[in-house]
Amino acid sequence: MKYNFAQRMSKTPRSFVREILKVTENPEIISFGGGLPNPQSFPVKAISNAVNQLLAENGSDALQYSTTEGYEPLREYIAQRYFSQGLNVTADEILITNGSQQCLDLVGKVFVDKDDKILLEKPTYLAAIQAFSLYEPEFKSVPLQKDGVDLDALEDILSNENIKLFYTVTSFQNPTGITYSKRKREKLAKLLKKYETVLIEDNPYGELRFMGDFIPPVKSCLNEGILFGSFSKIVSPGMRLGWIVAPAEVMDKLIIAKQASDLHSNYFTQRVVYQYLKTNPIDEHIQKIRNLYKNQRNLMIRMMEKYFPPEVEYTQPEGGMFLWVTLPPGTSSMELFEMAIEENVAFVPGQAFYADGSGENTLRLNFTNSDDKSIEEGIQRLGLAIEKLLSEK
Ligand code: PMP
């Protein structure tokens, strides 16, 4: 049988990261490649209690089908939390999804026709490229600076191209760790309004700030924007719960797309997470995660200062899970990857995060899923591999 697949499949490769990281299954390899939260941060006991209590008190209800929008008390909880952070949204503007990854797919379904233009940050979240690719858009990219997108370049593109959506990760971006300053957020909102481009703000790491001051999402100054959130980094990624915040007109369409995809997100899990949130102090829990990640981030930076050649640059994120390394121009992080594997250490070469295939001399490091010893040892090994790469140049 010769299968005749839809054309869109030929334009969408498997996740490069998942492919490349197969080599890291070897237990000798220290991997800074994956993007996993630290499992120490998972509230296993509290979730176990929440499950037991839920089943004992509302078991048959929690095991039933439910509404597409999601469990109302959970949506109220999310709206309240936003309110306390200066963002005015109602439960009606929130749709519970299967992780924030599903938000990307739903936005693609609802907005993107073939050859529509989507503007991405350069670099951007790899799986956003993949999710949007299935809708066959044309990607444009705009460079990131230390404090967010390059606004001049952005205006240039918005004024010359008919851009439908601008996809951005505004806090502790995956892959760079970069966070938009307050000033840039405000200017970005103004520009998107001026050029009638839809804001797609993905914010799974916003709560993981371990230094500096809280800055509200861009959506707080752009009512018509669309914002994603997730429980993956503050409770558990395996539970696959996220949400999308959108104005009523967009919500209508999202609900249709979501119904067609999966009727509704896992209702039992929604009830468990709500039970957990109702009976546990989430702020204390998040603070523990922040402290843990701050120490891991600081240790990784100390080790990089010690073991990396001085011409290597890296970001110093104020939160999140990733660091971004830039090697001298003309070097290749794919070549470095081969050398690093020989030293038994892995990372993700940066090119994967560029829709236009550039970024050859960049790489992403995750600092949240390695213990201290592995960070010390792994960065030392990576430093050796970098020295080897530079000496062969
Ligand atoms: N967006 C970004 C920027 C991410 O880094 C991730 C997780 N790697 C996701 C979305 C998807 O997360 P989830 O579906 O677990 O909420």
Side-chain angles (χ1 to χ4, degrees):
M1 169 79 184
K2 188 182 172 315
Y3 295 106
N4 207 351
F5 292 113
Q7 252 187 27
R8 72 180 77 91
M9 293 313 297
S10 66
K11 294 183 183 164
T12 313
R14 272 194 193 209
S15 163
F16 176 75
V17 174
R18 296 200 191 281
E19 293 301 299
I20 205 166
L21 292 180
K22 279 185 185 161
V23 295
T24 65
E25 279 163 15
N26 172 354
E28 310 238 301
I29 292 185
I30 296 175
S31 177
F32 303 125
L36 304 185
N38 194 321
Q40 267 179 46
S41 72
F42 300 153
V44 179
K45 187 84 190 88
I47 293 287
S48 162
N49 292 340
V51 170
N52 290 334
Q53 202 177 346
L54 175 66
L55 286 174
E57 290 170 12
N58 299 98
S60 51
D61 186 24
L63 294 172
Q64 188 53 283
Y65 277 120
S66 185
T67 56
T68 303
E69 288 83 344
Y71 185 48
E72 167 90 22
L74 182 63
R75 289 188 292 129
E76 284 289 352
Y77 181 97
I78 296 166
Q80 278 297 323
R81 193 162 177 86
Y82 276 135
F83 186 73
S84 69
Q85 296 170 349
L87 192 72
N88 227 339
V89 301
T90 63
D92 289 347
E93 294 169 304
I94 296 171
L95 169 69
I96 303 291
T97 59
N98 194 23
S100 47
Q101 190 64 32
Q102 189 183 32
C103 306
L104 291 160
D105 184 53
L106 295 179
V107 160
K109 268 203 179 99
V110 162
F111 283 103
V112 183
D113 285 319
K114 190 168 186 298
D115 299 329
D116 277 351
K117 291 179 187 167
I118 300 184
L119 185 59
L120 303 171
E121 291 165 331
K122 190 168 147 178
T124 188
Y125 172 47
L126 174 66
I129 304 179
Q130 191 187 44
F132 290 142
S133 285
L134 284 169
Y135 300 96
E136 304 177 273
E138 184 183 334
F139 289 122
K140 299 279 170 189
S141 300
V142 57
L144 269 183
Q145 297 167 326
K146 280 198 175 105
D147 58 348
V149 68
D150 177 337
L151 290 169
D152 292 334
L154 179 79
E155 176 141 33
D156 198 40
I157 295 173
L158 293 181
S159 60
N160 285 305
E161 308 266 2
N162 187 18
I163 302 286
K164 203 168 201 180
L165 311 173
F166 174 50
Y167 170 71
T168 169
V169 184
T170 45
S171 290
F172 324 123
Q173 195 225 27
N174 178 4
T176 61
I178 283 171
T179 293
Y180 282 54
S181 64
K182 190 151 187 297
R183 186 189 73 89
K184 279 222 162 151
R185 287 175 197 235
E186 287 161 3
K187 292 209 161 163
L188 171 62
K190 278 199 185 125
L191 280 178
L192 294 178
K193 211 175 174 71
K194 178 170 168 193
Y195 293 100
E196 299 201 321
T197 301
V198 181
L199 167 76
I200 307 295
E201 184 174 22
D202 188 359
N203 192 28
Y205 304 103
E207 298 261 19
L208 300 185
R209 176 179 281 284
F210 38 65
M211 44 184 79
D213 297 325
F214 173 78
I215 314 174
V218 176
K219 162 89 178 156
S220 65
C221 40
L222 190 67
N223 262 337
E224 54 267 51
I226 294 172
L227 172 65
F228 305 165
S230 178
F231 288 112
S232 289
K233 311 297 172 352
I234 53 174
V235 181
S236 146
M239 295 179 91
R240 308 305 304 127
L241 278 191
W243 62 89
I244 183 163
V245 186
E249 199 183 336
V250 179
M251 185 54 72
D252 248 21
K253 308 286 185 226
L254 290 170
I255 288 172
I256 296 169
K258 170 101 179 139
Q259 278 167 353
S261 291
D262 60 4
L263 306 182
H264 61 74
S265 291
N266 186 321
Y267 183 55
F268 180 68
T269 313
Q270 294 182 57
R271 296 289 301 258
V272 171
V273 167
Y274 181 67
Q275 184 75 29
Y276 164 75
L277 294 169
K278 211 169 54 164
T279 47
N280 290 275
I282 187 71
D283 287 317
E284 275 174 34
H285 178 66
I286 294 174
Q287 193 52 46
K288 275 192 212 147
I289 304 177
R290 289 178 183 146
N291 294 344
L292 179 66
Y293 290 2
K294 182 181 181 178
N295 288 336
Q296 292 180 293
R297 173 260 194 212
N298 286 347
L299 178 61
M300 189 172 269
I301 288 181
R302 275 206 310 281
M303 291 302 118
M304 288 160 84
E305 280 164 358
K306 189 165 167 192
Y307 293 115
F308 281 11
E311 58 268 52
V312 174
E313 292 173 9
Y314 39 85
T315 55
Q316 307 226 354
E318 295 189 330
M321 302 186 0
F322 303 104
L323 277 169
W324 186 246
V325 179
T326 306
L327 303 169
T331 54
S332 156
S333 61
M334 281 300 280
E335 253 174 67
L336 178 66
F337 185 82
E338 305 291 330
M339 292 173 173
I341 291 299
E342 275 169 33
E343 303 287 342
N344 280 339
V345 61
F347 56 83
V348 184
Q351 235 174 322
F353 303 95
Y354 289 78
D356 64 4
S358 60
E360 257 215 315
N361 60 326
T362 59
L363 56 117
R364 188 191 76 178
L365 298 178
N366 165 267
F367 49 81
T368 59
N369 194 34
S370 309
D371 59 26
D372 287 1
K373 199 166 158 288
S374 303
I375 292 178
E376 286 172 19
E377 180 68 34
I379 294 296
Q380 186 173 7
R381 291 181 195 173
L382 187 55
L384 277 176
I386 295 176
E387 267 168 19
K388 202 163 148 204
L389 178 84
L390 298 188
S391 71
E392 285 179 11
K393 234 181 77 172

